[in-house]
Amino acid sequence: MEKKILICDDHKIFREGLRALLEKQPGVKVVGGARDGLEAVKLARELSPDIVIMDISMPGLNGIEAARKLAKVKKSARVIALSMHNDRKYVTEIIKAGARAYLLKDSAFEELMDAIKAVSCGRFFLSAGITNIVLDDYIKGPSRDPRSAFTLLSAREREVLQLLAEGLRTKEISQKLALSVKTVETHRKKIMEKLGIGSIAGLTRYAVKEGLITL
Amino acid sequence: MEKKILICDDHKIFREGLRALLEKQPGVKVVGGARDGLEAVKLARELSPDIVIMDISMPGLNGIEAARKLAKVKKSARVIALSMHNDRKYVTEIIKAGARAYLLKDSAFEELMDAIKAVSCGRFFLSAGITNIVLDDYIKGPSRDPRSAFTLLSAREREVLQLLAEGLRTKEISQKLALSVKTVETHRKKIMEKLGIGSIAGLTRYAVKEGLITL
DNA sequence: ACAGGTATCGGGGATTCCCCTAGAAGGCCG
DNA sequence: CGGCCTTCTAGGGGAATCCCCGATACCTGT
């Protein structure tokens, strides 16, 4: 029996490209395409796909919320998350939302086929590099709150992070906080370690995303 | 004679999808794929494609700068910009950089084929909705928007700025661009001088604001 | 030809980064 | 209570960087 597939992505040309690739494969059939989360849920109800390939960033209702809804409304549909972000936040959230696979858009198409086979058999599938994130969270125990700067970092660390992201250099921060330069360095190191970010530029982008500073 | 096409996008699965669609079309042949701007320029020189389909947001060297380089180095290649942004900033800049077409990723594949036909004949092609933006700027005459990254900085400086904001350290940049560490330092110094920004964090925020990188 | 901007490098000292180690204080759990 | 973890603090030492100089070469427009 052919697997029915629903493709959800807000870029039409991407949907068409993926459809073209899938149509060359035996055993699968693309039954529809959705351009946002709401349409994804609607079409999933109408078409009863076996597999839903779900982009995460979509306007209106994003892929994570859409997956959450599908888990309630259409349990039979196996969701494969497909995203350009390898951000831990997205990964953990959509997996918790019921997705059975997480692929990066940078993956080869072959990996997508592997994922389709895996979830069809009831197994999970994670892109290389994603596994680390999930296992990392797993061994750290059930962290129910989302991994934000406020749960991950200590108050002092957030303080240092903000100053770093605002552009102060190590010496200035040490003066401002009445600390040794070495202490500030240690804080920076711990922050980078916790967040898995290895540069000031990366920390700045993170701080903006988390709302610690404004552009 | 078949048109040789080079696909530039940082997502492998997107490149594969597009290739699958194009391979079903007569008269065109995909000769290669690049995952960033530098590779795009390199492959364009090696493969001499007739058409370069260029995504705008790519790591390292973005599509706008890549188009600018191609306009100097490989005049024969017609660039089709393919982006998810319908932001006027991107449109005007890449058109000025020499692109002959601008398509949204939300476009249908058919539109891409129309664009390929158009630029092959030496015509321009703009996605619906994009035309307004260009004409709008056109009738308003040369609207020198002051103080943007595109008017203040040189191409090389923008290139270095993007890499800095992406979190690469000086040495990595020098290796990527095949330059001396000292040269990269000088560029950074000039960038900071021109922009009046004195830290990597500040440069990162600036690059995000200007759309050189995404969060 | 000349001025100006751009792009490319170097010297050298101050500074920071990055790897270690480590003590004091507070909380948590068997 | 006695370990154990986390946090905050700080230092040593070498590599890498930042930051001030200067310098050469190449365009481009006047």
Side-chain angles (χ1 to χ4, degrees):
Chain A
M1 183 58 184
E2 277 190 334
K3 294 288 172 189
K4 290 191 289 181
I5 296 186
L6 175 64
I7 301 174
C8 313
D9 190 290
D10 52 337
H11 301 307
K12 184 171 186 182
I13 204 164
F14 181 81
R15 292 198 303 274
E16 293 186 42
L18 202 51
R19 180 189 281 260
L21 284 169
L22 287 167
E23 276 170 356
K24 294 197 293 190
Q25 300 292 325
V28 298
K29 176 173 174 54
V30 178
V31 294
R35 55 181 302 138
D36 62 31
L38 282 178
E39 199 179 1
V41 176
K42 177 170 161 286
L43 290 181
R45 303 181 77 144
E46 290 172 13
L47 305 171
S48 289
D50 303 293
I51 311 272
V52 178
I53 296 174
M54 181 86 74
D55 184 31
I56 288 197
S57 25
M58 290 187 292
L61 189 70
N62 65 48
I64 297 176
E65 301 306 326
R68 231 186 290 274
K69 279 183 189 289
L70 280 181
K72 288 179 186 167
V73 165
K74 202 75 194 172
K75 281 188 153 48
S76 61
R78 300 282 161 78
V79 174
I80 295 177
L82 192 54
S83 164
M84 49 183 175
H85 309 96
N86 68 343
D87 204 310
R88 90 178 318 111
K89 192 159 43 182
Y90 297 112
V91 180
T92 57
E93 284 308 316
I94 201 163
I95 294 290
K96 280 188 214 160
R100 314 282 292 194
Y102 193 103
L103 286 180
L104 295 174
K105 280 196 178 171
D106 196 37
S107 308
F109 173 67
E110 205 185 338
E111 254 192 295
L112 177 59
M113 289 309 297
D114 290 343
I116 290 174
K117 288 196 192 79
V119 301
S120 296
C121 303
R123 298 200 313 275
F124 283 82
F125 188 94
L126 296 177
S127 233
I130 299 296
T131 315
N132 300 332
I133 294 180
V134 175
L135 286 184
D136 213 43
D137 276 12
Y138 179 70
I139 59 173
K140 280 181 184 160
S143 58
R144 52 201 63 76
D145 43 1
R147 311 219 142 252
S148 76
F150 291 99
T151 59
L152 215 48
L153 302 180
S154 71
R156 196 56 148 176
E157 285 161 352
R158 284 195 300 274
E159 202 174 352
V160 173
L161 171 56
Q162 182 174 345
L163 295 172
L164 279 170
E166 282 172 358
L168 277 69
R169 59 197 78 252
T170 308
K171 192 174 190 178
E172 292 171 332
I173 296 175
S174 73
Q175 286 162 354
K176 197 174 187 79
L177 300 181
L179 292 176
S180 156
V181 166
K182 283 297 185 180
T183 306
V184 178
E185 285 183 2
T186 306
H187 283 310
R188 176 172 40 70
K189 181 176 171 295
K190 281 287 285 180
I191 293 166
M192 288 178 165
E193 193 179 303
K194 281 183 176 178
L195 301 181
I197 296 172
S199 66
I200 297 294
L203 289 183
T204 306
R205 294 201 303 275
Y206 179 85
V208 171
K209 269 190 289 190
E210 289 296 322
L212 256 63
I213 61 167
T214 45
L215 279 179
Chain B
M1 186 57 184
E2 278 190 333
K3 293 289 170 188
K4 290 192 288 180
I5 296 186
L6 174 63
I7 302 174
C8 313
D9 189 290
D10 52 337
H11 300 307
K12 185 172 186 183
I13 204 165
F14 181 81
R15 292 198 303 273
E16 295 186 40
L18 202 50
R19 180 189 280 261
L21 284 169
L22 287 167
E23 276 169 356
K24 294 196 293 187
Q25 299 294 324
V28 299
K29 177 173 175 55
V30 177
V31 293
R35 54 181 303 138
D36 62 31
L38 281 178
E39 201 179 359
V41 177
K42 179 170 159 286
L43 289 182
R45 301 183 79 143
E46 291 172 14
L47 305 171
S48 290
D50 303 293
I51 310 274
V52 178
I53 297 174
M54 181 86 75
D55 184 29
I56 289 197
S57 23
M58 290 188 291
L61 190 71
N62 64 49
I64 296 176
E65 302 304 331
R68 229 186 290 274
K69 278 182 190 286
L70 280 182
K72 287 182 187 164
V73 164
K74 203 73 194 173
K75 282 189 154 47
S76 60
R78 299 282 160 78
V79 175
I80 296 178
L82 191 54
S83 165
M84 50 184 174
H85 311 95
N86 68 344
D87 204 313
R88 86 176 324 105
K89 192 158 43 183
Y90 297 111
V91 180
T92 56
E93 285 308 322
I94 201 163
I95 293 293
K96 279 188 216 160
R100 314 282 292 196
Y102 193 104
L103 285 180
L104 294 174
K105 280 195 179 172
D106 196 37
S107 308
F109 173 67
E110 205 185 337
E111 254 191 296
L112 176 59
M113 288 310 297
D114 291 342
I116 290 174
K117 288 197 192 80
V119 301
S120 294
C121 303
R123 298 201 313 277
F124 283 83
F125 186 96
L126 296 177
S127 232
I130 299 297
T131 315
N132 300 332
I133 293 180
V134 175
L135 287 184
D136 213 44
D137 275 14
Y138 180 70
I139 57 172
K140 278 180 187 162
S143 65
R144 300 265 153 268
D145 50 337
R147 318 251 165 282
S148 86
F150 293 105
T151 58
L152 269 178
L153 301 180
S154 71
R156 195 55 146 177
E157 285 162 352
R158 285 194 298 275
E159 198 174 353
V160 172
L161 172 56
Q162 180 179 348
L163 294 170
L164 280 170
E166 282 174 359
L168 277 70
R169 58 197 82 252
T170 308
K171 192 173 188 178
E172 292 170 332
I173 296 175
S174 73
Q175 286 163 353
K176 196 172 185 83
L177 301 181
L179 292 177
S180 154
V181 166
K182 285 296 185 181
T183 305
V184 177
E185 286 182 3
T186 305
H187 283 310
R188 175 173 39 68
K189 181 175 170 294
K190 281 288 285 179
I191 294 166
M192 288 179 165
E193 193 180 302
K194 281 183 175 178
L195 301 181
I197 296 172
S199 66
I200 297 295
L203 289 183
T204 306
R205 295 201 303 277
Y206 179 84
V208 171
K209 269 190 290 192
E210 289 296 318
L212 255 62
I213 61 166
T214 46
L215 279 179

